[in-house]
Amino acid sequence: MNNLSSPRSPSLETIVTILVWAIAIGVSLIFAWIVGDIAWRGIGELSWQFLINYPENAGREGRIAPILVSTALILAVCMVVAFPLGIGTALWLSELTASASKLGRLVGRSLDILAGVPSIVFGLFGNAFFAKTLGLGFSILSGGLTLACMVLPILIRSTEAGLRSVPLDYRLAAAALGYSRTTTLFQLLLPSSAPSLLAGFALGLGRAIGETAALIFTSGYVDRMPRSLFDSGRSLSVHIYDLATNVAGGDAKAYTSALVLLMLVVFLDLGAILILRKWLQGET
Amino acid sequence: MRPLSTCMAIALGLGLLSCGNSTTEEKLVLTGSSTVAPLVSEIGKRFEEDRANVRVDVQTGGSSRGITDARDGIADLGMASRSLTSEESDLQTFTIAFDGIGIVLHQDNLISSLTKSQILEIYTGDIDNWQEVGGNNAEITVINKAEGRGTLEVFLDYLQIENSAIRADSIVGDNQQGIKTVAGNPNAIGYVSIGAAQESIDAGVPVRLAAIDGIEATLENVQAERYPLYRPLNLVSKDTPEGLTKTFIEFARSPEVRDIIEEQNFVPFSP
């Protein structure tokens, strides 16, 4: 191990250290810049009124209440569908199939490819399959289901990694104690892989909430308060896109909406962390 | 925690489902141009106000998509921010508004009218001094629109050039930014929606609209389709519209929505 800090090149060591620090600071600065810019331009219009009233004049005036509701419903549909499917597939991949088996490899590879597919492809697929073939039309349901397809690979891969990181000894010990597979799963595997499960959930939610291309053709553009899951509803990201590109003079509201979206992501992530802490405390 | 929130989401969903299916309502679906969508969205809201059982759903995706959807019957009406081509002549179009684009100069600029070829040469960099078109001896500051703006497309389409051919000194985003840039530079030339320019001129901003080939950039000239730099905003229908569709088209072309159209910086169809 002592060859890591070779006495010959102390200057190289310093350079690498400085470089790594510089990169880390640089990346943080870019992030801070983006957040700062959105906050700076968006905060002026932000108020409770902005969140609880209806949009007017194509979003130039008025607020985002129906859009927030639509966004929440789309996300709810997405997660309610994706979560059980994701955990199920991850369990199958990590517990019931050898990772080297043909089928396991095929599924794993497919998921990786699926994760890299551009979101507009999901959008067009969702439009063709959910909206037209299944007859759901432009609706929150179509949008949520399309998003579920999109976040599944993220959820599955992250959950699978979590399950695989549980040491084999745990499983052997559980088997030695005479635990059934189901008990092992609920008492042991899921709690110990909870952090990565939740990380996957947060990542998936993050991708879903920022999605525009997949939603324009599925959940649609209507900025009315949705009355059912079969209604079309505009998500926050679609609203921002529309204000920024199609509505002259919509820039200010676009920034405010972006700020709301950003805060939403932060709250959801914090919420996920809190739930995880509670859960782990409850288990031990 | 997790099962609880799941249950709540499902309950919320079911609750919303149950109240959505009760009424017998008529639904009008429009898809197409992202330029027309915000306008029709607003018209739709006013249309719904007096008709309790009517819903107008507006979706975007571009003019071509609107035309395809109208043809396939997926949408009741398509929206297109251009005239239809000869291959699309099987469809009926109903113009609801115009998007007129004006050449904006600073108030102190001596030029009152430019020809199409002069505009082309100014924007492609062949003319770079106002003297060459009869103005002061001053270099021209060319202001172009950012990629993706509807006005840019109309402008390029009018001059029959690609955006890469334009030699711009400055790129602006929305109409307001374009007007402000010209107001701050006596030698600048830009182009914006006529409605937005007129609004600023009325508010005392030191800019004015130049005529093209001697035709003034007025709302009347756009309405009469005399002024060359404009595009029609159309509703597209496969068959002769009937019932609710017909009522909606008539409503969208009536003076009742004039203020909405003007608010979106377009020129109303009705005089």
Side-chain angles (χ1 to χ4, degrees), chain A residues 120-193:
Chain A
I120 182 68
V121 177
F122 280 102
L124 293 174
F125 162 75
N127 182 259
F129 185 66
F130 296 121
K132 289 185 185 155
T133 309
L134 295 189
L136 296 173
F138 284 97
S139 66
I140 286 170
L141 211 52
S142 295
L145 292 173
T146 307
L147 282 190
C149 297
M150 219 179 78
V151 302
L152 260 179
I154 301 172
L155 261 177
I156 295 170
R157 277 313 206 184
S158 149
T159 311
E160 187 200 346
L163 287 169
R164 279 194 199 287
S165 71
V166 178
L168 190 63
D169 295 355
Y170 283 29
R171 295 182 182 86
L172 292 177
L177 286 170
Y179 276 24
S180 73
R181 260 192 159 161
T182 319
T183 315
T184 312
L185 171 65
F186 283 105
Q187 297 298 321
L188 194 75
L189 293 179
L190 283 182
S192 10
S193 60

Side-chain angles (χ1 to χ4, degrees), chain B residues 2-264:
Chain B
R2 193 165 42 80
L4 181 67
S5 57
T6 312
C7 289
M8 274 169 61
I10 291 170
L12 181 62
L14 288 177
L16 284 162
L17 282 178
S18 56
C19 53
N21 293 338
S22 54
T23 46
T24 51
E25 56 182 22
E26 284 186 279
K27 197 157 119 180
L28 202 62
V29 178
L30 297 97
T31 70
S33 160
S34 55
T35 311
V36 191
L39 170 66
V40 173
S41 221
E42 288 302 307
I43 294 178
K45 275 181 204 165
R46 186 168 291 179
F47 190 71
E48 286 170 356
E49 272 172 21
D50 304 328
R51 297 167 179 82
N53 293 327
V54 172
R55 287 172 70 93
V56 182
D57 274 10
V58 180
Q59 308 294 351
T60 57
S63 296
S64 302
R65 185 181 180 83
I67 288 162
T68 314
D69 283 356
R71 191 181 272 148
D72 296 347
I74 291 164
D76 296 300
L77 286 169
M79 300 176 287
S81 56
R82 56 173 170 84
S83 309
L84 297 194
T85 63
S86 52
E87 287 112 62
E88 295 157 353
S89 56
D90 55 315
L91 300 162
Q92 301 188 26
T93 58
F94 303 90
T95 304
I96 55 168
F98 302 99
D99 188 5
I101 290 154
I103 302 291
V104 189
L105 305 172
H106 193 271
Q107 207 173 35
D108 297 341
N109 198 317
L110 296 174
I111 313 288
S112 61
S113 179
L114 289 164
T115 64
K116 183 179 175 179
S117 60
Q118 282 173 335
I119 296 170
L120 178 68
E121 285 176 69
I122 288 172
Y123 269 88
T124 50
D126 292 338
I127 295 177
D128 61 0
N129 195 305
W130 283 112
Q131 218 165 18
E132 295 175 59
V133 290
N136 293 326
N137 180 14
E139 206 170 304
I140 302 175
T141 306
V142 175
I143 298 166
N144 196 22
K145 285 272 178 140
E147 200 81 57
R149 295 278 163 177
T151 35
L152 172 71
E153 286 163 37
V154 186
F155 190 71
L156 295 176
D157 193 49
Y158 170 64
L159 294 180
Q160 294 289 304
I161 54 172
E162 297 286 320
N163 196 20
S164 53
I166 287 184
R167 298 283 162 266
D169 298 301
S170 176
I171 307 279
V172 295
D174 62 25
N175 286 323
Q176 290 311 317
Q177 204 186 345
I179 292 166
K180 274 180 208 150
T181 313
V182 175
N185 182 344
N187 300 314
I189 180 169
Y191 58 93
V192 299
S193 266
I194 291 178
Q198 200 58 55
E199 205 173 286
S200 299
I201 293 167
D202 294 344
V205 178
V207 294
R208 52 194 189 78
L209 285 161
I212 296 179
D213 295 326
I215 302 160
E216 295 291 338
T218 60
L219 301 187
E220 293 75 31
N221 281 339
V222 175
Q223 253 163 17
E225 301 188 47
R226 273 192 297 269
Y227 181 78
L229 190 42
Y230 80 100
R231 60 176 164 178
L233 306 183
N234 289 323
L235 295 181
V236 180
S237 170
K238 186 174 137 200
D239 308 305
T240 308
E242 283 169 15
L244 189 65
T245 314
K246 187 175 177 227
T247 321
F248 183 77
I249 293 173
E250 280 164 3
F251 183 77
R253 283 153 72 96
S254 75
E256 276 180 84
V257 297
R258 197 189 163 90
D259 56 318
I260 298 178
I261 294 172
E262 283 170 347
E263 234 171 8
Q264 308 296 322

Side-chain angles (χ1 to χ4, degrees), chain A:
Chain A
M1 279 298 117
N2 53 0
N3 60 349
L4 269 181
S5 52
S6 149
R8 275 188 297 130
S9 53
S11 58
L12 184 70
E13 194 85 338
T14 327
I15 291 170
V16 170
T17 310
I18 290 173
L19 208 66
V20 168
W21 271 94
I23 290 170
I25 290 171
V27 170
S28 314
L29 274 181
I30 292 171
F31 176 72
W33 188 8
I34 294 172
V35 174
D37 188 55
I38 291 174
W40 173 254
R41 299 194 200 210
I43 202 124
E45 303 266 352
L46 192 64
S47 66
W48 270 120
Q49 294 302 314
F50 185 75
L51 300 180
I52 57 172
N53 283 336
Y54 285 44
E56 284 160 31
N57 191 8
R60 274 188 207 95
E61 284 143 47
R63 341 283 168 204
I64 57 170
I67 289 147
L68 278 180
V69 172
S70 299
T71 310
L73 288 175
I74 292 168
L75 287 180
V77 169
C78 163
M79 282 309 170
V80 164
V81 173
F83 211 62
L85 287 181
I87 293 182
T89 315
L91 277 173
W92 179 80
L93 272 173
S94 73
E95 304 302 314
L96 304 178
T97 325
S99 59
S101 81
K102 239 184 190 162
L103 192 60
R105 279 220 310 262
L106 183 74
V107 171
R109 193 63 59 215
S110 311
L111 286 172
D112 290 343
I113 292 171
L114 214 57
V117 169
S119 52
I120 182 68
V121 177
F122 280 102
L124 293 174
F125 162 75
N127 182 259
F129 185 66
F130 296 121
K132 289 185 185 155
T133 309
L134 295 189
L136 296 173
F138 284 97
S139 66
I140 286 170
L141 211 52
S142 295
L145 292 173
T146 307
L147 282 190
C149 297
M150 219 179 78
V151 302
L152 260 179
I154 301 172
L155 261 177
I156 295 170
R157 277 313 206 184
S158 149
T159 311
E160 187 200 346
L163 287 169
R164 279 194 199 287
S165 71
V166 178
L168 190 63
D169 295 355
Y170 283 29
R171 295 182 182 86
L172 292 177
L177 286 170
Y179 276 24
S180 73
R181 260 192 159 161
T182 319
T183 315
T184 312
L185 171 65
F186 283 105
Q187 297 298 321
L188 194 75
L189 293 179
L190 283 182
S192 10
S193 60
S196 56
L197 217 151
L198 217 68
F201 186 79
L203 275 177
L205 209 61
R207 179 150 190 213
I209 204 174
E211 192 41 55
T212 311
L215 288 179
I216 273 190
F217 297 135
T218 53
S219 62
Y221 182 79
V222 174
D223 63 356
R224 206 190 290 116
M225 184 63 90
R227 286 185 299 180
S228 81
L229 292 182
F230 294 103
D231 273 358
S232 167
R234 190 191 293 196
S235 82
L236 205 46
S237 49
V238 172
H239 188 58
I240 296 168
Y241 172 74
D242 187 55
L243 281 181
T245 57
N246 298 327
V247 177
D251 290 16
K253 291 285 196 254
Y255 270 107
T256 314
S257 305
L259 181 61
V260 172
L261 185 64
L262 204 67
M263 284 169 16
L264 219 56
V265 173
V266 172
F267 282 136
L268 284 173
D269 273 4
L270 287 179
I273 292 169
L274 270 178
I275 291 172
L276 178 69
R277 283 212 186 125
K278 276 248 168 77
W279 190 4
L280 289 180
Q281 275 169 8
E283 292 297 328
T284 48

